[in-house]
Amino acid sequence: MAEHVPVLLDRILELFEPVLAKPGAVLVDATLGLGGHSDALLSAHPELTLVGLDRDPAALERSADRLRHHGDRVHLVHAVYDELPGALAGLGMSTVDGLLFDLGVSSMQLDRDERGFSYARDAPLDMRMDPTTGPTAADVLNTYPPGELVRILREYGEERFAQRIVKSVVAARESEPFERSGRLVELLYAAVPAASRRTGGHPAKRTFQALRIEVNGELEVLRRAMPAALGALAMGGRIVVESYQSLEDRLVKQALAAKAKSRTPEGLPVELPGHGPELRLLTRGAEQANEAEIEANPRASSVRLRAAERIGEAAQ
């Protein structure tokens, strides 16, 4: 496996520096993955305590090895990131100084053929981030009604040819259920018009994204996770979120923007006590990787980073 390179690591270290340098600081890495960001942050802040969450048992196992040299400053929890309040309560914590989300599929999941995330290699159609539970991508393809498949491809993959693709999928699954990615990729090459293939990237990209989001409930989890995470952020604490597709980035943008607005009714001449903004945005829009970072780490090409700092109490 190629060496894992954390995306926008220097920028993340810079954003967290003011709040994690203090004694007793606590950071939640809500999407631990292979632990690259966490390892760097723990090394930069010798008194930092880390709570690392991941739904993938294999990722937790790999990260435990990587982070072992940081000793008892590391607490790893098998959980999806919308379960953050319960994970903190289990450790006797209620608020934290830093929250990091690195959304989407991890490098390890993409690189392991048996996980079925990549359309570049023939593999079982699994795509579960936690392979111990839930339906697979094959289950979705083989059992969902046509209308539901069309909705998923349109909403989660932003696929223009969803109707054509689903018609082909339904016809194909009647003769033989889908089991492997190679057969699906062949179908997508045939279903997506040649003109679109020349200009729109790999014809499987959008369908594979849509299936992965559906299998893992990614958008629903993120909708629940953002308010839960922000509710756990201490005064002066910071949240940093890396997204890799527009649907996730839109949810993050909306969640942060809503908390960065005053809650004083319009027209009043002064800010009502306790009605000021809860957050201060630390980025102007979404920050992207520069050419040098993308050249060193191609997976940074689609990243969108947003960050905010808690400056006010949450609404009661």
Coordinates of all heavy atoms in Angstrom, one line a residue, residues 190-264:
A190 N -21.4 1.0 -21.1 CA -22.4 0.8 -22.1 C -23.6 1.8 -22.0 O -24.1 2.2 -23.0 CB -22.9 -0.6 -22.1
A191 N -24.0 2.1 -20.7 CA -25.1 2.9 -20.5 C -24.9 4.4 -20.7 O -25.8 5.2 -21.1 CB -25.7 2.6 -19.1
V192 N -23.7 4.9 -20.3 CA -23.4 6.3 -20.4 C -23.0 6.6 -21.8 O -22.1 6.0 -22.4 CB -22.3 6.7 -19.4 CG1 -21.8 8.1 -19.6 CG2 -22.8 6.4 -18.0
P193 N -23.6 7.6 -22.5 CA -23.2 8.0 -23.8 C -21.7 8.3 -24.0 O -21.1 8.9 -23.1 CB -24.1 9.2 -24.1 CG -25.2 9.1 -23.2 CD -24.7 8.5 -21.9
A194 N -21.2 7.9 -25.2 CA -19.8 8.1 -25.4 C -19.4 9.6 -25.3 O -18.3 9.9 -24.8 CB -19.5 7.6 -26.8
A195 N -20.2 10.5 -25.7 CA -19.8 11.9 -25.7 C -19.6 12.3 -24.2 O -18.7 13.1 -23.9 CB -20.9 12.8 -26.3
S196 N -20.4 11.9 -23.3 CA -20.3 12.2 -21.9 C -19.0 11.5 -21.3 O -18.3 12.1 -20.5 CB -21.5 11.7 -21.1 OG -21.3 12.0 -19.7
R197 N -18.7 10.3 -21.8 CA -17.5 9.6 -21.3 C -16.3 10.4 -21.7 O -15.3 10.4 -20.9 CB -17.4 8.2 -21.9 CG -18.5 7.3 -21.4 CD -18.1 5.8 -21.6 NE -17.7 5.5 -22.9 CZ -18.5 5.0 -23.9 NH1 -19.8 4.8 -23.6 NH2 -18.0 4.7 -25.1
R198 N -16.3 11.1 -22.8 CA -15.1 11.8 -23.2 C -14.9 13.1 -22.4 O -13.7 13.5 -22.2 CB -15.2 12.2 -24.7 CG -15.0 11.0 -25.7 CD -14.9 11.5 -27.1 NE -16.1 12.1 -27.6 CZ -17.0 11.4 -28.3 NH1 -16.9 10.1 -28.5 NH2 -18.1 12.0 -28.7
T199 N -16.0 13.7 -21.9 CA -15.8 15.0 -21.2 C -16.2 14.9 -19.7 O -15.8 15.8 -18.9 CB -16.7 16.0 -21.9 OG1 -18.1 15.6 -21.8 CG2 -16.3 16.2 -23.3
G200 N -16.9 13.9 -19.3 CA -17.4 13.9 -17.9 C -16.7 13.0 -16.9 O -17.2 12.7 -15.8
G201 N -15.5 12.6 -17.2 CA -14.7 11.7 -16.3 C -15.2 10.3 -16.5 O -16.0 9.9 -17.3
H202 N -14.7 9.4 -15.6 CA -15.0 8.0 -15.7 C -16.5 7.8 -15.5 O -17.1 8.3 -14.6 CB -14.2 7.3 -14.6 CG -14.1 5.8 -14.8 ND1 -15.2 5.0 -14.6 CD2 -13.1 5.0 -15.1 CE1 -14.9 3.7 -14.9 NE2 -13.6 3.7 -15.2
P203 N -17.1 7.0 -16.4 CA -18.6 6.8 -16.3 C -19.0 6.1 -15.0 O -20.2 6.2 -14.7 CB -18.9 5.9 -17.5 CG -17.6 5.2 -17.8 CD -16.5 6.2 -17.5
A204 N -18.2 5.5 -14.3 CA -18.6 4.8 -13.0 C -18.4 5.7 -11.8 O -19.0 5.4 -10.7 CB -17.7 3.5 -12.8
K205 N -17.8 6.8 -11.9 CA -17.5 7.6 -10.7 C -18.7 8.0 -10.0 O -18.8 7.9 -8.7 CB -16.7 8.9 -11.2 CG -16.3 9.8 -10.0 CD -15.5 11.0 -10.5 CE -15.2 11.9 -9.3 NZ -14.4 13.1 -9.8
R206 N -19.7 8.6 -10.6 CA -20.9 9.1 -10.0 C -21.8 8.0 -9.4 O -22.3 8.1 -8.3 CB -21.7 10.0 -10.9 CG -20.9 11.3 -11.3 CD -21.7 12.1 -12.4 NE -21.7 11.4 -13.6 CZ -20.7 11.4 -14.5 NH1 -19.6 12.1 -14.2 NH2 -20.8 10.8 -15.7
T207 N -21.9 6.9 -10.1 CA -22.7 5.8 -9.6 C -22.0 5.2 -8.4 O -22.7 4.8 -7.4 CB -22.9 4.7 -10.7 OG1 -23.7 5.3 -11.7 CG2 -23.6 3.5 -10.2
F208 N -20.7 5.0 -8.4 CA -20.0 4.4 -7.2 C -20.1 5.3 -6.0 O -20.3 4.9 -4.9 CB -18.6 4.1 -7.6 CG -18.3 2.7 -8.2 CD1 -18.9 2.3 -9.3 CD2 -17.5 1.8 -7.5 CE1 -18.7 1.1 -9.9 CE2 -17.3 0.5 -8.0 CZ -17.9 0.2 -9.2
Q209 N -20.0 6.6 -6.3 CA -20.2 7.6 -5.2 C -21.6 7.5 -4.6 O -21.8 7.4 -3.3 CB -20.0 9.0 -5.7 CG -20.3 10.1 -4.6 CD -20.1 11.5 -5.1 OE1 -18.9 11.9 -5.4 NE2 -21.1 12.3 -5.1
A210 N -22.6 7.4 -5.4 CA -24.0 7.3 -5.0 C -24.2 6.1 -4.1 O -24.9 6.1 -3.1 CB -24.9 7.4 -6.2
L211 N -23.7 4.9 -4.6 CA -23.9 3.7 -3.9 C -23.2 3.7 -2.5 O -23.8 3.3 -1.5 CB -23.4 2.5 -4.7 CG -24.2 2.1 -6.0 CD1 -23.4 1.1 -6.8 CD2 -25.6 1.6 -5.6
R212 N -22.0 4.3 -2.5 CA -21.3 4.3 -1.3 C -22.0 5.2 -0.2 O -22.1 4.9 0.9 CB -19.9 4.9 -1.5 CG -18.9 4.8 -0.4 CD -17.8 5.8 -0.6 NE -18.2 7.1 -0.1 CZ -17.8 8.3 -0.7 NH1 -17.0 8.3 -1.7 NH2 -18.2 9.4 -0.2
I213 N -22.5 6.3 -0.7 CA -23.2 7.2 0.2 C -24.5 6.5 0.8 O -24.8 6.6 2.0 CB -23.6 8.6 -0.5 CG1 -22.3 9.4 -0.7 CG2 -24.6 9.4 0.3 CD1 -22.5 10.6 -1.6
E214 N -25.2 5.8 -0.1 CA -26.4 5.1 0.3 C -26.1 4.0 1.3 O -26.7 3.9 2.4 CB -27.1 4.6 -0.9 CG -28.3 3.6 -0.6 CD -29.5 4.3 0.2 OE1 -29.5 5.6 0.2 OE2 -30.3 3.6 0.7
V215 N -25.1 3.2 1.0 CA -24.7 2.1 1.8 C -24.3 2.5 3.2 O -24.7 1.9 4.2 CB -23.6 1.3 1.2 CG1 -22.9 0.3 2.2 CG2 -24.1 0.5 0.0
N216 N -23.6 3.6 3.3 CA -23.1 4.1 4.6 C -23.9 5.2 5.3 O -23.6 5.7 6.3 CB -21.7 4.6 4.4 CG -20.8 3.4 4.0 OD1 -20.5 2.5 4.8 ND2 -20.3 3.4 2.8
G217 N -25.0 5.6 4.6 CA -25.9 6.7 5.1 C -25.1 7.9 5.4 O -25.4 8.6 6.4
E218 N -24.2 8.3 4.5 CA -23.2 9.3 4.8 C -23.8 10.7 5.1 O -23.5 11.4 6.0 CB -22.1 9.4 3.7 CG -21.2 8.2 3.7 CD -20.2 8.2 2.6 OE1 -19.6 9.3 2.4 OE2 -20.1 7.2 1.9
L219 N -24.8 11.1 4.2 CA -25.4 12.4 4.4 C -26.3 12.5 5.6 O -26.3 13.5 6.3 CB -26.1 12.8 3.1 CG -25.2 12.9 1.8 CD1 -26.1 13.3 0.6 CD2 -24.1 13.9 2.0
E220 N -27.0 11.4 5.8 CA -27.9 11.4 7.0 C -27.0 11.5 8.3 O -27.3 12.2 9.3 CB -28.8 10.2 7.1 CG -29.9 10.2 6.0 CD -29.4 9.7 4.7 OE1 -28.2 9.4 4.5 OE2 -30.2 9.7 3.7
V221 N -25.9 10.8 8.3 CA -25.0 10.8 9.5 C -24.4 12.2 9.7 O -24.4 12.7 10.8 CB -23.9 9.7 9.3 CG1 -22.8 9.9 10.3 CG2 -24.5 8.3 9.4
L222 N -24.0 12.8 8.6 CA -23.4 14.1 8.6 C -24.4 15.2 9.1 O -24.1 16.0 9.9 CB -22.8 14.5 7.3 CG -22.1 15.8 7.2 CD1 -20.9 15.8 8.2 CD2 -21.6 16.1 5.8
R223 N -25.7 15.1 8.7 CA -26.7 16.0 9.2 C -26.9 15.9 10.7 O -27.1 16.9 11.3 CB -28.1 15.7 8.5 CG -28.2 16.1 7.0 CD -29.6 16.0 6.5 NE -29.6 16.4 5.1 CZ -29.6 15.5 4.1 NH1 -29.6 14.2 4.4 NH2 -29.6 15.8 2.9
R224 N -26.8 14.7 11.2 CA -26.9 14.5 12.7 C -25.7 14.9 13.4 O -25.7 15.4 14.5 CB -27.3 13.1 13.0 CG -28.7 12.6 12.5 CD -29.0 11.3 13.1 NE -28.1 10.2 12.7 CZ -28.3 9.4 11.6 NH1 -29.4 9.6 10.9 NH2 -27.5 8.4 11.3
A225 N -24.5 14.6 12.7 CA -23.2 14.8 13.4 C -22.9 16.3 13.6 O -22.3 16.6 14.6 CB -22.1 14.1 12.6
M226 N -23.2 17.1 12.6 CA -22.8 18.5 12.8 C -23.3 19.2 14.0 O -22.6 19.8 14.8 CB -23.1 19.3 11.5 CG -22.2 18.9 10.3 SD -20.4 19.2 10.6 CE -20.4 21.0 10.8
P227 N -24.6 19.2 14.3 CA -25.1 19.8 15.5 C -24.6 19.1 16.7 O -24.3 19.8 17.7 CB -26.6 19.7 15.4 CG -26.9 18.7 14.3 CD -25.7 18.7 13.4
A228 N -24.5 17.8 16.7 CA -23.9 17.1 17.9 C -22.5 17.5 18.2 O -22.1 17.7 19.3 CB -24.0 15.6 17.6
A229 N -21.7 17.6 17.1 CA -20.3 18.0 17.3 C -20.2 19.5 17.8 O -19.5 19.8 18.7 CB -19.6 17.9 16.0
L230 N -20.9 20.4 17.2 CA -20.9 21.8 17.6 C -21.4 22.0 19.0 O -20.9 22.8 19.7 CB -21.7 22.6 16.6 CG -21.1 22.7 15.2 CD1 -22.1 23.4 14.3 CD2 -19.8 23.4 15.2
G231 N -22.3 21.1 19.4 CA -22.8 21.2 20.8 C -21.7 20.8 21.8 O -21.8 21.1 23.0
A232 N -20.7 20.0 21.4 CA -19.7 19.5 22.3 C -18.4 20.4 22.2 O -17.5 20.2 23.0 CB -19.2 18.1 21.9
L233 N -18.5 21.5 21.4 CA -17.3 22.3 21.3 C -17.2 23.4 22.4 O -18.2 24.1 22.6 CB -17.3 23.0 19.9 CG -16.1 23.7 19.4 CD1 -14.9 22.6 19.2 CD2 -16.3 24.4 18.0
A234 N -16.1 23.4 23.1 CA -15.9 24.3 24.3 C -15.8 25.8 23.7 O -15.5 26.0 22.6 CB -14.7 23.9 25.1
M235 N -16.0 26.7 24.6 CA -15.8 28.1 24.2 C -14.4 28.3 23.8 O -13.4 27.9 24.5 CB -16.1 29.0 25.4 CG -16.1 30.5 25.1 SD -17.5 30.9 23.9 CE -18.9 30.7 25.0
G236 N -14.2 28.9 22.6 CA -12.9 29.1 22.1 C -12.4 27.9 21.3 O -11.3 28.0 20.6
G237 N -13.1 26.8 21.3 CA -12.7 25.6 20.6 C -12.9 25.8 19.1 O -13.6 26.7 18.6
R238 N -12.3 24.9 18.3 CA -12.3 25.1 16.8 C -12.7 23.7 16.2 O -12.4 22.7 16.7 CB -11.0 25.5 16.3 CG -10.6 26.9 16.7 CD -9.3 27.4 16.0 NE -9.2 28.9 16.2 CZ -8.3 29.6 15.5 NH1 -7.5 29.0 14.7 NH2 -8.2 30.9 15.8
I239 N -13.5 23.9 15.1 CA -13.8 22.7 14.3 C -13.3 22.9 12.9 O -13.3 24.0 12.3 CB -15.4 22.5 14.2 CG1 -15.8 21.3 13.3 CG2 -16.1 23.8 13.7 CD1 -17.2 21.0 13.4
V240 N -12.7 21.8 12.3 CA -12.2 21.9 11.0 C -12.8 20.7 10.2 O -12.7 19.5 10.7 CB -10.6 21.8 11.0 CG1 -10.1 21.7 9.5 CG2 -10.0 22.9 11.7
V241 N -13.3 20.9 9.0 CA -14.0 19.9 8.3 C -13.4 19.9 6.8 O -13.4 20.9 6.2 CB -15.5 20.1 8.2 CG1 -16.1 18.9 7.5 CG2 -16.1 20.2 9.6
E242 N -13.0 18.7 6.4 CA -12.5 18.5 5.0 C -13.6 17.6 4.3 O -13.9 16.5 4.8 CB -11.2 17.7 5.0 CG -10.0 18.6 5.5 CD -8.7 17.8 5.4 OE1 -8.6 16.7 5.9 OE2 -7.8 18.4 4.8
S243 N -14.1 18.2 3.2 CA -15.1 17.5 2.4 C -14.5 17.2 1.0 O -13.7 18.0 0.6 CB -16.4 18.3 2.3 OG -16.9 18.7 3.5
Y244 N -15.1 16.2 0.4 CA -14.5 15.8 -1.0 C -15.5 15.8 -2.1 O -15.2 15.4 -3.2 CB -13.8 14.5 -0.9 CG -12.6 14.6 0.1 CD1 -12.8 14.4 1.4 CD2 -11.3 14.9 -0.4 CE1 -11.7 14.5 2.3 CE2 -10.2 15.0 0.5 CZ -10.4 14.8 1.8 OH -9.4 14.9 2.7
Q245 N -16.8 16.1 -1.7 CA -17.8 16.2 -2.8 C -18.8 17.3 -2.4 O -18.9 17.6 -1.2 CB -18.4 14.9 -3.1 CG -18.7 14.0 -1.9 CD -20.2 14.0 -1.5 OE1 -20.9 14.9 -1.9 NE2 -20.6 13.0 -0.7
S246 N -19.5 17.8 -3.3 CA -20.3 19.0 -3.1 C -21.5 18.8 -2.1 O -21.8 19.8 -1.4 CB -20.9 19.5 -4.5 OG -21.7 18.6 -5.1
L247 N -22.0 17.6 -2.1 CA -23.2 17.4 -1.2 C -22.8 17.5 0.3 O -23.5 18.2 1.1 CB -23.8 16.0 -1.5 CG -24.3 15.8 -2.9 CD1 -24.7 14.3 -3.1 CD2 -25.5 16.7 -3.2
E248 N -21.6 16.9 0.6 CA -21.1 17.1 2.0 C -20.7 18.5 2.3 O -21.1 19.0 3.3 CB -19.9 16.2 2.1 CG -20.1 14.7 2.2 CD -18.8 13.9 2.3 OE1 -17.8 14.4 1.8 OE2 -18.9 12.8 2.7
D249 N -20.0 19.1 1.4 CA -19.5 20.5 1.6 C -20.7 21.4 1.8 O -20.7 22.3 2.7 CB -18.7 21.0 0.4 CG -18.1 22.4 0.7 OD1 -17.5 22.6 1.7 OD2 -18.3 23.2 -0.2
R250 N -21.8 21.2 1.1 CA -23.0 22.1 1.2 C -23.6 21.9 2.6 O -24.0 22.9 3.3 CB -24.0 21.7 0.2 CG -25.1 22.7 0.0 CD -26.0 22.3 -1.2 NE -25.3 22.1 -2.4 CZ -25.5 21.1 -3.2 NH1 -26.4 20.2 -3.0 NH2 -24.7 21.0 -4.3
L251 N -23.7 20.7 3.1 CA -24.2 20.5 4.5 C -23.3 21.2 5.5 O -23.8 21.8 6.5 CB -24.3 19.0 4.8 CG -25.5 18.2 4.1 CD1 -25.3 16.7 4.5 CD2 -26.8 18.8 4.7
V252 N -22.0 21.0 5.4 CA -21.1 21.6 6.3 C -21.2 23.2 6.3 O -21.3 23.8 7.3 CB -19.6 21.2 6.0 CG1 -18.7 21.9 6.9 CG2 -19.5 19.7 6.2
K253 N -21.2 23.7 5.1 CA -21.3 25.2 4.9 C -22.6 25.7 5.6 O -22.6 26.7 6.3 CB -21.4 25.5 3.4 CG -21.6 27.0 3.1 CD -21.8 27.2 1.6 CE -22.1 28.6 1.3 NZ -22.2 28.8 -0.2
Q254 N -23.7 25.0 5.4 CA -25.0 25.5 6.0 C -25.0 25.4 7.5 O -25.5 26.3 8.2 CB -26.1 24.6 5.4 CG -26.4 24.9 3.9 CD -27.3 23.9 3.3 OE1 -27.7 22.8 3.9 NE2 -27.8 24.2 2.1
A255 N -24.4 24.3 8.0 CA -24.4 24.1 9.5 C -23.5 25.2 10.2 O -23.9 25.7 11.2 CB -23.9 22.7 9.8
L256 N -22.4 25.5 9.6 CA -21.5 26.5 10.2 C -22.1 27.9 10.0 O -22.0 28.7 10.9 CB -20.1 26.4 9.5 CG -19.3 25.1 9.8 CD1 -17.9 25.2 9.1 CD2 -19.2 24.7 11.2
A257 N -22.6 28.2 8.8 CA -23.1 29.5 8.5 C -24.3 29.8 9.5 O -24.5 31.0 9.9 CB -23.6 29.6 7.1
A258 N -25.2 28.8 9.7 CA -26.3 29.1 10.6 C -25.9 29.5 12.0 O -26.6 30.3 12.6 CB -27.2 27.8 10.7
K259 N -24.8 28.9 12.5 CA -24.3 29.2 13.8 C -23.5 30.5 13.9 O -23.2 31.0 15.0 CB -23.5 28.0 14.4 CG -24.3 26.7 14.5 CD -25.3 26.8 15.7 CE -25.9 25.4 15.9 NZ -26.9 25.5 17.0
A260 N -23.1 31.0 12.7 CA -22.3 32.2 12.7 C -23.1 33.5 12.5 O -22.6 34.6 12.4 CB -21.3 32.1 11.5
K261 N -24.4 33.3 12.5 CA -25.3 34.4 12.4 C -25.9 34.9 13.8 O -26.1 34.0 14.7 CB -26.5 34.1 11.5 CG -26.2 33.9 10.1 CD -27.4 33.5 9.3 CE -27.1 33.2 7.8 NZ -28.3 32.7 7.1
S262 N -26.2 36.2 13.9 CA -26.8 36.6 15.1 C -28.3 36.1 15.2 O -28.9 36.0 14.2 CB -26.9 38.2 15.1 OG -27.7 38.6 16.1
R263 N -28.7 35.8 16.4 CA -30.1 35.4 16.6 C -31.0 36.5 17.1 O -32.2 36.3 17.4 CB -30.1 34.2 17.6 CG -29.5 32.9 17.0 CD -29.1 31.9 18.2 NE -27.9 32.4 18.8 CZ -27.6 32.1 20.0 NH1 -28.4 31.4 20.8 NH2 -26.4 32.5 20.5
T264 N -30.5 37.7 17.2 CA -31.3 38.9 17.5 C -32.2 39.2 16.4 O -31.8 39.2 15.2 CB -30.4 40.1 17.7 OG1 -29.6 39.9 18.9 CG2 -31.2 41.4 18.0

